[in-house]
Amino acid sequence: MDLANYKNAYLTFALSIQQTRVVSMAAGGALESFPKNLPRAHKDYVVDASAKMSEKLKPVMKGVSGSSFEMEFDLDDGNPYLLPLVGILFTHVAGLGGSPNVDYGGLLKAQEVVMLFAHLEAFLADSIRVICLKEPRVLKKNKKMQWDTILECGSWEGVIDKMVDEYVFEAGWGSIKDKIRNMRSAYGLEIGVSDTVLNALDAAEQLRNVLVHNGGRVSREYLERTGRNDVRVGDMVPLDGSYIEKLSATVTVLGGDVFSAIAVKFFGARPDELRLVFKGAGTVLE
């Protein structure tokens, strides 16, 4: 892989981060005061679905409390909102109680946090792959490969590709902070991000883990790893829009630092070849 290809990988990463930001903001605006701000076509779908649900609920609301009931809907009528809205209604009628009130903004914030780390982890994996292909000597490890695996690779290039895949996979374990520190020590990269920012990013990654693995509820491990004392185990972790904006900027800048460090170290890049790298992408976490 040459510098141009790696630069494309970096720009794809940067594009993905900014697209994620735009999608989150645009969807948040559209879903605020749902369904008031939806585009006309989508709003018509929601109004139609609401009317159908209301019609089906009339006999149910007249029934005896606690009795069983059935509601049938034609889910093939071409309205894509009908099934999910019926599902939301069902969860409340079945036991949650109250009127359906989904926190769409919270869902969008959670999705953005998860996707920011997904994009960053993918770019770090691409970056390590670039190092392996540029300097295969980093693959020298006390490991063995079975003969049948070698034969399945079909060629020496295939063997190298297999080794790189396994190397990148193993390097993917651990936190972002651990990966950056390892990239500094193992490859001699001068990645400019400060330890303060890395620690803040690590706390954000713990937030991401809670969202993915614990449904957004605070766990004891989360409290121990972050040292937070403003939330308790079982609470829904609060998501602040300004915090996520800073997280997006932090991820963007870190990606640029990694790209620049590898471009200089392994490709001998000149300053003029790094002009399109994000350096100041907003206020970062600290």
Side-chain angles (χ1 to χ4, degrees):
M1 178 179 290
D2 58 18
L3 180 58
N5 288 329
Y6 182 41
K7 186 176 182 179
N8 285 338
Y10 162 70
L11 292 176
T12 299
F13 154 78
L15 173 64
S16 298
I17 296 298
Q18 305 315 315
Q19 285 179 328
T20 300
R21 185 93 275 265
V22 170
V23 167
S24 183
M25 291 189 295
L31 290 170
E32 188 175 2
S33 301
F34 180 85
K36 179 181 177 181
N37 295 329
L38 289 178
R40 179 60 184 270
H42 292 262
K43 186 186 298 184
D44 289 344
Y45 277 133
V46 174
V47 170
D48 174 69
S50 298
K52 291 174 180 176
M53 290 190 296
S54 178
E55 187 66 26
K56 294 290 184 179
L57 273 175
K58 286 180 181 179
V60 174
M61 301 305 293
K62 295 178 181 180
V64 180
S65 177
S67 62
S68 62
F69 60 89
E70 292 183 1
M71 290 188 293
E72 293 185 1
F73 294 90
D74 179 11
L75 299 180
D76 295 322
D77 71 345
N79 188 334
Y81 279 85
L82 184 57
L83 179 57
L85 289 177
V86 167
I88 291 172
L89 176 65
F90 173 78
T91 60
H92 287 75
V93 172
L96 288 181
S99 59
N101 182 25
V102 180
D103 180 15
Y104 293 107
L107 288 173
L108 288 169
K109 292 183 180 73
Q111 289 176 351
E112 183 172 5
V113 171
V114 172
M115 289 309 301
L116 286 174
F117 279 100
H119 295 317
L120 179 57
E121 288 180 337
F123 177 64
L124 292 181
D126 285 342
S127 298
I128 294 175
R129 184 180 302 278
V130 165
I131 294 173
C132 292
L133 294 175
K134 186 66 177 177
E135 293 288 344
R137 58 183 176 79
V138 303
L139 297 172
K140 291 182 179 180
K141 300 180 69 175
N142 187 24
K143 297 188 66 175
K144 298 179 180 179
M145 186 178 290
Q146 297 293 328
W147 284 24
D148 57 346
T149 301
I150 295 174
L151 292 173
E152 289 173 0
C153 291
S155 65
W156 176 244
E157 290 75 15
V159 171
I160 294 296
D161 287 343
K162 177 68 174 179
M163 293 172 65
V164 170
D165 287 344
E166 293 188 1
Y167 185 95
V168 172
F169 176 78
E170 292 178 2
W173 296 101
S175 67
I176 298 296
K177 180 170 70 173
D178 291 338
K179 292 173 186 175
I180 296 301
R181 288 178 172 174
N182 181 66
M183 292 175 80
R184 284 171 170 166
S185 61
Y187 315 125
L189 295 176
E190 296 183 5
I191 301 174
V193 62
S194 69
D195 287 342
T196 299
V197 172
L198 271 183
N199 289 333
L201 191 60
D202 189 62
E205 189 171 13
Q206 300 306 320
L207 170 60
R208 172 263 180 199
N209 292 341
V210 164
L211 293 172
V212 172
H213 302 297
N214 210 38
R217 293 178 177 81
V218 175
S219 65
R220 192 169 304 280
E221 180 182 8
Y222 175 74
L223 294 179
E224 292 174 352
R225 288 179 176 269
T226 62
R228 291 186 63 168
N229 55 19
D230 59 325
V231 289
R232 298 179 298 177
V233 173
D235 289 349
M236 293 298 294
V237 64
L239 297 172
D240 179 70
S242 61
Y243 175 84
I244 297 175
E245 182 179 356
K246 291 179 181 178
L247 173 59
S248 179
T250 304
V251 169
T252 301
V253 171
L254 176 58
D257 285 344
V258 170
F259 169 74
S260 296
I262 292 177
V264 170
K265 174 77 175 182
F266 291 96
F267 295 94
R270 304 181 308 274
D272 63 296
E273 294 178 291
L274 304 176
R275 286 180 299 178
L276 297 180
V277 175
F278 282 94
K279 291 294 185 182
T283 304
V284 299
L285 296 175
E286 53 186 25

